[in-house]
């Protein structure tokens, strides 16, 4: 009913406002269904490289409602045959992939996508939301923003360090540096993701876990 009377043919401004409200209804089956439909192949937000700025905001708004659908939509592009060629047009999804990586089950998938985006970024970029800057803090001991295990995170680092690509190895070195940091920690990114309850991520419970 909502889609028939409000969404279909509505101006982008109204849809953006509607998507913002959807983003806080992650426990609503109806909201999840609408978001999943928008993100499915052929949906309003499915072609992530062709979205206007307002539609990109809509994608960020509904990602917390249907995280699996959002991740799948990004994978269809970046893991497709034109993945690296398409990456410059969807660098904005870094802001979606970081909070999606909070879940251990999605960590490796998000890491693979962030690495692809980092591949096309210039060396020395200092943009806060650049993948080369937003990705490594996920490997920090504290305030990483993910609950991925130590083993999961080190497996990703190992893959990057053993890559034949120099930029991948450089990224892996940066991630390893964050993993080995033992003194200076700070939450450089917020942990909010719609209405989903989030904390700063994995937090060692004792000295043995810190040593690990």
């Amino acid at each position: 009913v909502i889609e028939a009377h409000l969404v279909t043919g509505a101006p982008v401004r109204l849809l953006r406002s509607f998507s913002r409200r959807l983003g806080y209804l992650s426990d609503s089956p109806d909201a999840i269904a609408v978001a999943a439909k928008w993100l499915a192949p052929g949906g309003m937000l499915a072609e992530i490289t062709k979205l206007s700025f307002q539609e990109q905001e809509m994608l960020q708004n509904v990602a917390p409602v249907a995280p699996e659908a959002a991740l799948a939509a990004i994978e269809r592009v970046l893991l497709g045959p034109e993945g690296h060629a398409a990456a410059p047009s969807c660098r904005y999804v870094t802001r979606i992939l970081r909070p999606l990586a909070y879940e251990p089950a999605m960590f490796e998938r998000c890491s693979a996508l962030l690495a692809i985006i980092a591949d096309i970024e210039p060396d020395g970029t200092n943009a806060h939301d650049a993948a080369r800057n937003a990705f490594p803090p996920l490997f920090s001991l504290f305030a990483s923003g993910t609950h991925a295990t130590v083993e999961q995170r080190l497996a990703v680092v190992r893959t990057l360090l053993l890559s034949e690509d120099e930029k991948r190895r450089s990224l892996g070195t940066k991630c390893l540096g964050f993993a080995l940091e033992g003194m200076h920690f700070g939450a450089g990114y917020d942990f909010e993701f719609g209405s989903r309850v989030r904390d700063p991520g994995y937090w060692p419970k004792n000295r043995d876990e810190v040593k690990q």
Side-chain angles (χ1 to χ4, degrees):
V1 175
I2 290 176
E3 189 158 25
H5 291 85
L6 176 62
V7 177
T8 304
V12 174
R13 182 179 59 81
L14 179 59
L15 289 173
R16 184 176 57 180
S17 178
F18 179 57
S19 71
R20 188 178 299 113
R21 285 153 180 78
L22 278 181
Y24 289 95
L25 297 173
S26 55
D27 292 328
S28 166
D30 292 332
I32 293 170
V34 172
K37 183 175 180 179
W38 286 4
L39 293 162
M44 185 192 314
L45 303 176
E47 298 292 334
I48 66 170
T49 61
K50 300 177 182 179
L51 302 182
S52 66
F53 179 74
Q54 292 84 356
E55 290 169 333
Q56 291 176 12
E57 288 186 339
M58 290 171 59
L59 174 57
Q60 294 176 61
N61 288 338
V62 302
V65 185
E68 176 59 40
L71 183 55
I74 298 170
E75 286 178 327
R76 284 196 300 272
V77 174
L78 291 179
L79 298 184
E82 304 297 324
H84 277 78
S89 300
C90 52
R91 289 175 61 184
Y92 69 94
V93 300
T94 295
R95 297 190 293 271
I96 300 172
L97 292 171
R98 244 197 77 86
L100 286 176
Y102 176 88
E103 302 292 348
M106 292 185 171
F107 182 78
E108 287 94 340
R109 294 165 66 188
C110 292
S111 294
L113 298 171
L114 286 165
I116 291 173
I117 297 173
D119 286 343
I120 56 90
E121 293 177 340
D123 292 328
T125 180
N126 58 6
H128 184 66
D129 59 351
R132 295 188 69 81
N133 295 330
F135 183 35
L138 287 169
F139 296 83
S140 180
L141 182 61
F142 294 97
S144 63
T146 181
H147 278 277
T149 65
V150 174
E151 291 76 16
Q152 281 182 287
R153 291 191 274 179
L154 291 184
V156 171
V157 171
R158 185 178 299 111
T159 298
L160 291 170
L161 291 175
L162 294 177
S163 172
E164 296 181 357
D165 183 84
E166 183 178 354
K167 289 191 74 172
R168 289 283 177 108
R169 295 196 301 273
S170 174
L171 182 63
T173 301
K174 194 171 182 180
C175 293
L176 182 61
F178 271 85
L180 293 175
E181 177 60 59
M183 293 181 64
H184 306 291
F185 303 99
Y189 297 85
D190 66 61
F191 308 111
E192 294 184 4
F193 196 48
S195 63
R196 294 183 178 274
V197 177
R198 290 289 174 86
D199 57 32
Y202 170 74
W203 204 271
K205 298 182 181 66
N206 51 52
R207 188 171 180 81
D208 286 340
E209 289 191 4
V210 172
K211 284 184 177 181
Q212 182 195 17

